[in-house]
Amino acid sequence: MDSGAHYVKADLQVHTPRDPNWNLECLTDDDREQFGRDFIEACRAAALGAVALTDHHDFGFVPWIRAAARTELGAEGHPVASETRLVVFPGLELTLAIPCQALLIFSSDFPDDRLSAVLDKLGIDPADESQAKANQPIQLGFDTFQELYSRLDETEWLRGQYVVLPNVTDGGHQTLMRKHMQSKYREMPCVGGYLDGPVAKIGRGNRQAFDGLDPSRGYKRIAVVQTSDARAVDELGSNPTWIKWAEPTAEALRQACLAQESRIAHTTPAVPSVSVTRLRVSNSQFLGPVDLELNPQYNALIGGRGTGKSTCLEYLRWGLCDEQRRPDSGDDGPDVNRRRRLIEQTLEPVKGHVEVHFLLNGIAHVVRRHADSGELLLKIGANELQPAREDEVRSLLPIEAYSQRQLSNVSVHLDELQRFVTTPVRDRLEDLAARDQELARAIRENFVHVQRRRAVAKAVHRDALTVDSLALQVVNMREGFTGLSDDDRAILGAKASYDEVDGAASSWMRRADQAREELDRCKATLDRLTSDLRAGSASDLPEKPVLADLRQGISDLLSAAENSVGEAAARLAAGMDEGSAVANLHETWRHGYAAFGERYEAAMARSSAHASKLGELNVMEERRRELQQSLDVQREDLESFGDPEARHAELRSQWYALQRERTEMLAQQCAQLTALSDGLIRATVRGGAGTAGLQARFKDVVRGSSVRGAKIEAFLDSVAAGPDPLLAWHAALDELEKLVLAEGDPAATPDAPVTALTAFATGDLDKIVARVTPEVILDLSLLGLDDHPVFEYRTKEGEHIDFADASAGQQATALLRVLLNQSGPPLVIDQPEDDLDSQVILDIVNLIWKAKGTRQLIFSSHNANLVVNGDAELVACCDYRDAGDHSAGKIKLEGAIDIPAVRDEITVVMEGGEKAFRLRKEKYGF
């Protein structure tokens, strides 16, 4: 675990069997030792991490319970590590002459051998150790809290080792919150108070007092700690308070009261579920080996210039593959190039690698990236390290990171600004993009059927006209024959009917064969689906029998369907096989058709006078018969296609709705961005107004047609200018496709254009039609139009300017507000103060307090206010490895600001360090 500050679930008012109201007596050392073990076990069961033992005027059980905490054994029988031991604060519940009760709590490392001296100092006559219970408390003669503090501070080893929390429970004779106690409250040096129960019981008046809104109490604001006032092990932790500290000292408790928004919670506190937990660098020419454990909340890297703060952040970003190309140019940004040089100069020469550990909703992940070989490895949970790709790492942990002064330069690159809109919905946008690709694929596949059907329909129409023409020609030729017998004339006249019926019979047989093939395919599909049913892994589920029955039921249904289809296929095959009734009927027809053919040939032979014309008639009828057979097959093909045009329209409608969904999502994010910036940014989106990509593609299509590019730009500008650019674009494409499909046929050509195509003169439109194919129109329709975001900056109420025209400080302040107001992945910023105007730093500090509950913050900074008053949970202090040598750095110290060594380092190396602490003292009492 990192050495910064963490929330600990604590109960700061806990009694022991020495309390007269505890229904248990422990007289012997063995009894007390066993109770200590039972007490620790009960605290663990209540998930407590800390308790304050606060018997009335008695420390009797403190040594026993402390000893039990030190010797606690874990699940495997090994001693519990020191950092995970139960924290035990020695304390007293005092009855004061103020009159009220108060908790006096000492640092957790306060020595046992000085506890009796504390009682002497307070004038308390302790009960004998052999007694089961403590003495009934006698009111101590302290009329004010100032007197109590003065008495304790007379002894040097007591100063700074205690904190006093008066009873501030609503009602009762032992609370400070009685009407005649306003002056006592107003003048006390205490910064917090405790409740015998939950904060939910605080009345409105007292809540206002605690919030510093009561003039009668001097507008004095205090923190409130809820406690269980436990007098039985099953009461432990019934009303806990989560308190944040780096080290469990009285000063840490005082600091928690002073910065309660950041350090005290009465319900399970919000802590980011996604966080970087560790940065390890095997070796580096500048920093040497690095092993920095990070806090899940606010981390601040401080130190003199050139000591390695930025280098640590660059190593972190490189390890997490945060080096994407700019979408608008495909080029690497300057920060990526700078990072690449850093890796080449500091890691490659020593064959160093960077290892980043991070948690995703409780699952540990590790990324290891080698500088010399470029090898990238990823470990998830307990799995082994496996090769990975950069995009896979970015997908798992897409941190938001900004280099020095990058925030104030965001508006220079539109894609950087758009990132504020798209990042919070990255997963949803990627899902939309995947659905877009799948729809586009389906549209292209179906369009093949559309084009095929169009071609077949065109051929059917052409061949049908030819067949009709030939039929009329044949009839006319027969009517011109003379000298034929009535029988021969009848035979010659029946030829067309026989040919037509023979074609129909052949078509019927083909349909039966096709049905057999379809049934066989269906049976094979059902067989595959049945075999694909997986048993699943439900051995630990109480509903396992239900799941087993469900799987079996579906399997039975599929098997029954397969059997039915198989039976149908078998019946159809049997009904068509040789010797079947259908086969015999078809054979009978074929014999009849052949016999007619013989009669026809004989009639032709007897008509020798018309031999030449009969020959022409024969050729013509044969051609008609062949065309009719081809036409029958083509019509069957048309039927097999179904209605791909309708399917095409349906898919296009789905694709159109998908673009709408994306536009609406971005519009919602723009509104959210506006709100998160507290109105400093007004973000809107014009759906489908971006036509740059279409312009390039359209110009490429019509290149060489002599249609000027300016006309194409005017056409697309008119599309974008309308209330619904996407609808206008697709309407124009539909009209253009009709013109292309008309192929110059006046009857099929639409009337004068009614869409945005009116931007083109008739001659230009003809040139475009000559260059365009249906396939090109399909490509254009699937390109879509970009959603065009608009960003403005609010100069004053109701007045906005283009965001690019705002000052760098204004831009950065507004964007940082957004980043700190939204939840998301870890936020990494190198020296955010470089982008900010000095007068807004404290506003940003307040946002930091709120932000670190929902996202991890990793900043480097020279500004003490961001670190001190931002209440960084972890401060990593960088320094030069050797004094006077600026060629190598190191991480000198890690901790939180309640640790004296960290405070000293901040005061020495940070700009405005002392002033920041003075401001914190004025604001919070630090």
Side-chain angles (χ1 to χ4, degrees):
M1 179 184 289
D2 66 272
S3 54
H6 296 263
Y7 278 111
V8 178
K9 185 180 180 182
D11 193 342
L12 295 188
Q13 187 184 194
V14 172
H15 298 281
T16 74
R18 292 278 279 185
D19 186 279
N21 293 319
W22 193 295
N23 60 357
L24 176 69
E25 291 189 355
C26 296
L27 292 173
T28 68
D29 288 354
D30 289 344
D31 291 340
R32 292 164 179 168
E33 184 176 341
Q34 182 60 46
F35 175 80
R37 290 193 292 269
D38 294 342
F39 181 89
I40 298 299
E41 184 177 340
C43 287
R44 293 299 188 191
L48 289 171
V51 293
L53 303 178
T54 54
D55 282 323
H56 288 272
H57 299 188
D58 189 85
F59 286 121
F61 255 94
V62 170
W64 296 102
I65 293 177
R66 278 180 152 181
R70 286 193 299 270
T71 59
E72 180 188 8
L73 300 179
E76 297 180 356
H78 302 299
V80 172
S82 58
E83 61 270 17
T84 58
R85 287 178 190 161
L86 180 74
V87 173
V88 180
F89 294 101
L92 297 170
E93 184 173 4
L94 303 178
T95 300
L96 305 173
I98 291 174
C100 79
Q101 290 181 333
L103 299 180
L104 174 63
I105 301 175
F106 296 91
S107 297
S108 65
D109 61 353
F110 192 83
D112 289 345
D113 58 11
R114 285 185 168 169
L115 295 176
S116 59
V118 172
L119 297 177
D120 290 340
K121 192 71 179 175
L122 295 173
I124 296 172
D125 183 20
D128 190 272
E129 289 185 5
S130 63
Q131 294 179 214
K133 303 294 182 181
N135 297 331
Q136 287 292 336
I138 299 174
Q139 190 178 81
L140 302 178
F142 298 100
D143 294 320
T144 67
F145 285 103
Q146 291 91 328
E147 292 179 15
L148 175 63
Y149 275 70
S150 297
R151 176 68 62 82
L152 293 170
D153 287 345
E154 289 174 353
T155 304
E156 183 176 353
W157 48 263
L158 277 174
R159 290 186 209 130
Q161 293 297 310
Y162 67 89
V163 63
V164 176
L165 303 175
N167 187 328
V168 293
T169 305
D170 283 18
H173 68 285
Q174 297 291 359
T175 177
L176 188 64
M177 303 310 291
R178 286 167 284 166
K179 288 186 179 180
H180 64 282
M181 306 285 280
Q182 288 95 333
S183 62
K184 303 281 189 178
Y185 180 101
R186 183 170 61 245
E187 296 165 3
M188 70 176 178
C190 308
V191 294
Y194 78 94
L195 299 174
D196 292 323
V199 295
K201 292 184 177 181
I202 299 175
R204 180 179 177 184
N206 284 354
R207 170 51 61 196
Q208 288 185 321
F210 301 150
D211 289 343
L213 302 175
D214 186 351
S216 68
R217 288 183 167 82
Y219 299 105
K220 182 180 180 66
R221 183 172 184 263
I222 66 169
V224 177
V225 176
Q226 62 183 15
T227 72
S228 66
D229 193 18
R231 287 177 169 82
V233 291
D234 59 359
E235 296 176 358
L236 288 168
S238 55
N239 290 296
T241 298
W242 284 260
I243 305 175
K244 188 185 297 178
W245 61 64
E247 294 180 355
T249 64
E251 177 62 16
L253 296 178
R254 193 174 78 88
Q255 287 304 312
C257 292
L258 292 169
Q260 56 182 289
E261 294 91 344
S262 176
R263 295 191 171 213
I264 288 182
H266 299 112
T267 57
T268 304
V271 176
S273 58
V274 177
S275 64
V276 177
T277 58
R278 192 176 192 180
L279 170 66
R280 294 185 63 192
V281 182
S282 62
N283 199 8
S284 159
Q285 282 198 331
F286 179 69
L287 283 173
V290 174
D291 193 351
L292 175 62
E293 293 189 81
L294 295 164
N295 191 277
Q297 294 194 283
Y298 178 22
N299 303 265
L301 279 69
I302 71 169
R305 298 187 184 278
T307 55
K309 305 182 300 299
S310 297
T311 299
C312 286
L313 297 189
E314 293 299 323
Y315 285 161
L316 174 65
R317 295 180 67 179
W318 182 76
L320 291 174
C321 307
D322 180 44
E323 47 194 41
Q324 300 182 70
R325 294 176 180 272
R326 286 206 173 110
D328 60 347
S329 66
D331 296 329
D332 291 336
D335 59 319
V336 174
N337 292 324
R338 183 174 60 253
R339 191 176 312 124
R340 187 172 296 132
R341 289 193 299 272
L342 175 70
I343 301 305
E344 291 171 352
Q345 295 169 7
T346 64
L347 290 183
E348 287 188 14
V350 293
K351 297 185 177 180
H353 68 260
V354 171
E355 193 172 275
V356 181
H357 298 233
F358 55 97
L359 279 177
L360 297 180
N361 299 305
I363 303 300
H365 294 65
V366 179
V367 173
R368 182 183 295 167
R369 192 173 186 185
H370 291 262
D372 57 336
S373 65
E375 184 181 25
L376 182 63
L377 302 172
L378 173 65
K379 177 181 179 182
I380 300 177
N383 298 331
E384 298 296 322
L385 283 166
Q386 299 287 339
R389 300 193 311 269
E390 292 182 22
D391 62 313
E392 292 172 336
V393 174
R394 284 194 293 267
S395 176
L396 281 171
L397 188 63
I399 62 170
E400 286 189 79
Y402 296 88
S403 303
Q404 294 177 23
R405 296 193 176 279
Q406 189 177 356
L407 276 175
S408 55
N409 291 321
V410 160
S411 65
V412 176
H413 299 285
L414 182 60
D415 59 286
E416 289 285 347
L417 199 51
Q418 287 179 345
R419 190 156 63 124
F420 282 81
V421 174
T422 59
T423 295
V425 289
R426 178 189 287 110
D427 291 343
R428 292 168 61 194
L429 287 173
E430 288 178 352
D431 177 61
L432 285 179
R435 288 163 57 192
D436 186 292
Q437 290 179 358
E438 180 63 22
L439 263 178
R441 181 194 60 76
I443 289 171
R444 292 183 187 280
E445 288 180 356
N446 183 71
F447 193 71
V448 173
H449 298 293
V450 170
Q451 288 293 83
R452 173 64 180 152
R453 191 183 190 284
R454 286 174 178 173
V456 172
K458 190 175 181 180
V460 165
H461 181 70
R462 182 193 63 232
D463 290 350
L465 290 176
T466 303
V467 168
D468 290 344
S469 175
L470 288 172
L472 291 175
Q473 292 178 55
V474 166
V475 171
N476 186 59
M477 287 185 70
R478 287 201 194 102
E479 290 176 350
F481 292 156
T482 60
L484 295 178
S485 67
D486 291 341
D487 288 342
D488 286 350
R489 186 179 296 276
I491 291 173
L492 293 178
K495 180 69 165 63
S497 296
Y498 268 85
D499 287 346
E500 183 176 350
V501 172
D502 184 62
S506 297
S507 175
W508 301 339
M509 296 300 290
R510 285 197 301 273
R511 289 169 184 268
D513 287 336
Q514 184 179 357
R516 290 177 61 181
E517 293 173 0
E518 292 294 338
L519 285 171
D520 288 341
R521 277 196 291 268
C522 182
K523 184 177 183 299
T525 299
L526 287 167
D527 179 66
R528 176 180 57 78
L529 292 174
T530 303
S531 64
D532 283 349
L533 283 175
R534 294 179 292 114
S537 175
S539 57
D540 58 341
L541 295 180
E543 296 85 357
K544 183 183 177 183
V546 174
L547 295 172
D549 291 345
L550 174 63
R551 176 179 176 272
Q552 188 60 50
I554 293 174
S555 178
D556 291 344
L557 287 174
L558 292 178
S559 296
E562 181 184 354
N563 290 336
S564 297
V565 171
E567 291 171 2
R571 285 197 301 272
L572 185 58
M576 292 183 63
D577 284 345
E578 186 176 354
S580 67
V582 168
N584 290 338
L585 288 171
H586 186 247
E587 186 64 24
T588 300
W589 160 253
R590 294 301 301 169
H591 285 305
Y593 181 66
F596 171 79
E598 291 174 0
R599 292 198 302 275
Y600 179 80
E601 292 294 331
M604 290 281 287
R606 287 193 293 271
S607 304
S608 57
H610 304 284
S612 176
K613 286 190 176 184
L614 285 172
E616 292 178 18
L617 177 62
N618 191 43
V619 170
M620 196 175 296
E621 287 187 329
E622 181 62 23
R623 185 181 173 209
R624 178 183 176 280
R625 187 183 66 80
E626 291 175 352
L627 276 175
Q628 184 63 57
Q629 288 179 347
S630 174
L631 191 58
D632 289 341
V633 172
Q634 289 171 342
R635 283 173 172 159
E636 290 169 15
D637 285 346
L638 279 180
E639 291 178 9
S640 69
F641 284 134
D643 193 352
E645 292 276 7
R647 176 63 174 160
H648 184 66
E650 177 189 347
L651 290 172
R652 283 275 300 276
S653 177
Q654 292 177 18
W655 186 89
Y656 181 81
L658 198 64
Q659 311 314 305
R660 283 287 191 208
E661 185 177 346
R662 183 180 187 277
T663 300
E664 290 171 4
M665 183 187 301
L666 294 179
Q668 291 172 1
Q669 286 304 117
C670 282
Q672 181 73 358
L673 174 63
T674 301
L676 291 174
S677 71
D678 298 327
L680 287 178
I681 301 174
R682 183 167 69 182
T684 54
V685 62
R686 286 204 61 211
T691 62
L694 290 180
Q695 285 188 18
R697 178 70 177 116
F698 207 92
K699 288 178 181 178
D700 183 61
V701 168
V702 301
R703 183 175 288 113
S705 67
S706 75
V707 178
R708 296 199 306 274
K711 292 185 178 181
I712 294 172
E713 292 169 9
F715 158 60
L716 290 173
D717 286 345
S718 68
V719 167
D724 192 335
L726 190 62
L727 182 61
W729 170 239
H730 282 268
L733 287 179
D734 289 342
E735 190 169 27
L736 183 60
E737 184 177 40
K738 290 177 181 176
L739 291 171
V740 172
L741 293 176
E743 296 182 336
D745 181 0
T749 302
D751 296 333
V754 295
T755 65
L757 290 178
T758 55
F760 295 108
T762 302
D764 287 333
L765 193 54
D766 290 341
K767 295 173 184 176
I768 292 172
V769 169
R771 293 274 177 171
V772 172
T773 65
E775 288 77 12
V776 167
I777 292 173
L778 178 69
D779 289 341
L780 290 171
S781 71
L782 294 178
L783 280 178
L785 286 82
D786 295 330
D787 296 317
H788 185 64
V790 177
F791 299 94
E792 299 169 288
Y793 182 83
R794 187 187 68 197
T795 55
K796 58 183 179 180
E797 193 65 34
E799 294 187 12
H800 295 79
I801 59 175
D802 189 87
F803 192 77
D805 294 334
S807 72
Q810 289 172 328
Q811 293 175 359
T813 300
L815 294 174
L816 192 53
R817 280 182 180 275
V818 173
L819 292 170
L820 293 175
N821 274 326
Q822 66 185 184
S823 59
L827 176 62
V828 180
I829 306 181
D830 193 357
Q831 297 178 200
E833 68 274 8
D834 289 352
D835 295 298
L836 303 174
D837 297 329
S838 58
Q839 63 267 29
V840 303
I841 290 292
L842 292 182
D843 291 336
I844 299 301
V845 162
N846 292 329
L847 293 174
I848 287 174
W849 279 30
K850 176 184 175 183
K852 59 188 178 180
T854 58
R855 72 185 313 178
Q856 184 185 35
L857 308 178
I858 306 174
F859 294 174
S860 74
S861 181
H862 291 288
N863 188 291
N865 276 317
L866 289 180
V867 179
V868 175
N869 292 301
D871 201 21
E873 275 71 23
L874 177 72
V875 180
C877 309
C878 297
D879 199 358
Y880 299 115
R881 242 184 277 178
D882 298 309
D885 181 2
H886 294 185
S887 63
K890 65 178 180 180
I891 297 178
K892 173 183 178 181
L893 178 66
E894 302 167 42
I897 60 174
D898 48 313
I899 297 175
V902 173
R903 292 204 300 271
D904 292 344
E905 192 72 16
I906 291 173
T907 304
V908 170
V909 305
M910 297 199 74
E911 299 169 2
E914 291 186 13
K915 183 178 178 181
F917 280 114
R918 284 197 301 271
L919 176 62
R920 184 181 173 92
K921 182 176 182 180
E922 293 167 4
K923 190 174 182 181
Y924 308 116
F926 190 79

